[in-house]
């Protein structure tokens, strides 16, 4: 099997998968594996909401800040950033947003699993065509 065929199989599975509690209803795909995410805490979601609101006030027309699945099938990856800035035209889809339409991703680092944000996602985003930088804020 090719990496792309494995991704397509996992993607079909992810579309139908309903994870048990306490996992979130969204899954990610990376390195030929389904990545199940714990439901974020209220504090985590509050920080993501604050970033989303601040960005939304500064974006040019035609751009939107929100939370969405983004994917790059050729890279065999699907991720769900905490905040994504994307061209509104790319939002007219029934599935995940194509990573090529992404202008910015923001991750609120989870204390319970920082390696996922600092290592795994920082590795995956450039492969998906999204430039990655990491900055820690107090």
């Amino acid at each position: 099997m090719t990496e792309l065929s494995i991704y397509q199989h996992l993607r079909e599975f992810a579309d139908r998968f309903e994870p048990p509690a306490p996992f979130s209803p969204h899954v990610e795909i990376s390195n030929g594996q389904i990545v199940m995410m714990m439901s974020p805490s209220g504090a985590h979601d509050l920080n993501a909401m604050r970033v989303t609101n601040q960005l939304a006030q500064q974006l040019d027309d035609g751009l939107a800040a929100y939370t969405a699945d983004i994917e790059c099938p050729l890279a065999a990856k699907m991720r769900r950033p905490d905040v994504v800035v994307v061209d509104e035209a790319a939002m007219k889809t029934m599935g995940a947003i194509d990573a090529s339409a992404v202008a910015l991703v923001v991750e609120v680092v989870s204390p319970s699993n920082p390696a996922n944000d600092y290592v795994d996602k920082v590795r995956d985003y450039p492969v998906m065509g999204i430039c990655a930088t990491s900055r820690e804020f107090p």
Side-chain angles (χ1 to χ4, degrees), residues 22-106:
F23 295 101
S24 78
H26 304 283
V27 297
E28 299 178 341
I29 301 171
S30 181
N31 295 331
Q33 298 177 19
I34 294 280
V35 180
M36 294 194 328
M37 309 303 297
M38 297 289 286
S39 293
S41 68
H44 181 278
D45 281 347
L46 177 62
N47 286 324
M49 181 192 71
R50 287 177 174 163
V51 170
T52 300
N53 291 343
Q54 289 176 13
L55 284 169
Q57 295 173 24
Q58 302 175 56
L59 294 175
D60 293 334
D61 287 341
L63 292 175
Y66 73 120
T67 300
D69 292 330
I70 60 172
E71 72 177 332
C72 181
L74 293 177
K77 306 215 180 281
M78 182 173 74
R79 289 295 192 170
R80 186 173 183 84
D82 294 311
V83 181
V84 61
V85 173
V86 65
D87 186 324
E88 287 180 0
M91 296 170 61
K92 296 176 182 174
T93 179
M94 297 302 289
I97 302 292
D98 188 302
S100 66
V102 174
L104 173 74
V105 296
V106 177

Side-chain angles (χ1 to χ4, degrees), residues 81-138:
D82 294 311
V83 181
V84 61
V85 173
V86 65
D87 186 324
E88 287 180 0
M91 296 170 61
K92 296 176 182 174
T93 179
M94 297 302 289
I97 302 292
D98 188 302
S100 66
V102 174
L104 173 74
V105 296
V106 177
E107 292 293 344
V108 176
V109 177
S110 302
S112 62
N113 189 11
N116 185 49
D117 295 322
Y118 281 131
V119 178
D120 300 341
K121 290 185 177 186
V122 171
R123 175 199 62 228
D124 284 355
Y125 290 140
V127 174
M128 297 172 75
I130 302 165
C131 295
T133 61
S134 178
R135 182 166 178 199
E136 191 169 327
F137 293 94

